[in-house]
Amino acid sequence: SGGRTVAENEEYRENHTFWVEVPLKNGTLTEEAKISGVENLLTKGHKEALTWLYEGGVTHWDGWEVLGAYTYQRTDEIRESTVTNVTDKVQVTKATETECSLEATTELDPNATHFLALVTARCKTSRMIDYLNPEAIEAFIRVGYERYYQELKDYWEDIWAMFCDEPYSGLYAWDQMVG
């Protein structure tokens, strides 16, 4: 049902939130802030699931967007009093089907030791739906269950369970994942 649901509207495809943490020195990123190497952990050892879950058997992403970005000081733990929201100073500079790069548009806090960005993207090849989108849920129910209801509505009060192999969520890891 997920595949038929997303075929109805591209915006119903799953979205995911990624994050990347990069050290800072004198308000400058010491390495590239990017998300790459995204892999669905639930398909490790079950490569046949890739073609069931993703068109072409691959994950391709689009709509990369910065949700939030922060600087702070930390050694082991983040010093809460040093957290600064810098979302308005960060932008996506490169966005492909497999990775996203970010940069600060201005110098960041010179006293901060780390930078953290939260980034979202939509998997444009996924047959899984965005379970946080109420419209996608309504479409999933209509596409997946309405015909059962129409055939079984006289018995609907007696049905207490129904097998369903969806919803399924992608459990992703990426090269820069920490925490």
Side-chain angles (χ1 to χ4, degrees), residues 39-127:
E39 180 179 30
N40 184 326
L41 294 178
L42 298 177
T43 61
K44 277 187 168 286
H46 301 286
K47 294 295 181 192
E48 68 280 357
L50 286 170
T51 56
W52 180 71
L53 296 171
Y54 306 102
E55 295 167 4
V58 295
T59 56
H60 284 170
W61 301 88
D62 71 0
W64 294 97
E65 182 181 330
V66 177
L67 292 175
Y70 306 88
T71 60
Y72 46 87
Q73 294 176 8
R74 82 166 169 88
T75 48
D76 290 328
E77 297 293 321
I78 294 172
R79 291 185 44 213
E80 189 175 334
S81 65
T82 67
V83 175
T84 302
N85 185 331
V86 295
T87 305
D88 61 339
K89 297 177 181 178
V90 176
Q91 64 184 10
V92 173
T93 56
K94 176 184 174 187
T96 71
E97 293 178 330
T98 59
E99 66 181 30
C100 164
S101 295
L102 309 167
E103 74 176 20
T105 58
T106 184
E107 186 176 297
L108 302 172
D109 179 358
N111 297 314
T113 60
H114 289 80
F115 165 83
L116 175 77
L118 303 168
V119 182
T120 186
R122 180 173 56 93
C123 186
K124 68 180 188 175
T125 55
S126 179
R127 293 186 175 108

Side-chain angles (χ1 to χ4, degrees), residues 166-178:
E166 295 181 73
Y168 173 95
S169 68
L171 177 60
Y172 295 100
W174 53 99
D175 293 342
Q176 301 76 18
M177 184 176 173
V178 294

Side-chain angles (χ1 to χ4, degrees), residues 1-16 53 55 62 121-144 166-168:
S1 297
R4 290 194 314 271
T5 302
V6 299
E8 189 175 290
N9 185 332
E10 290 292 315
E11 295 302 312
Y12 294 165
R13 291 187 191 271
E14 70 168 314
N15 283 283
H16 190 72
L53 296 171
E55 295 167 4
D62 71 0
R122 180 173 56 93
C123 186
K124 68 180 188 175
T125 55
S126 179
R127 293 186 175 108
M128 297 179 282
I129 68 168
D130 178 356
Y131 299 109
L132 299 179
N133 179 336
E135 293 173 8
I137 296 299
E138 288 174 18
F140 181 83
I141 291 169
R142 180 177 32 75
V143 168
E166 295 181 73
Y168 173 95

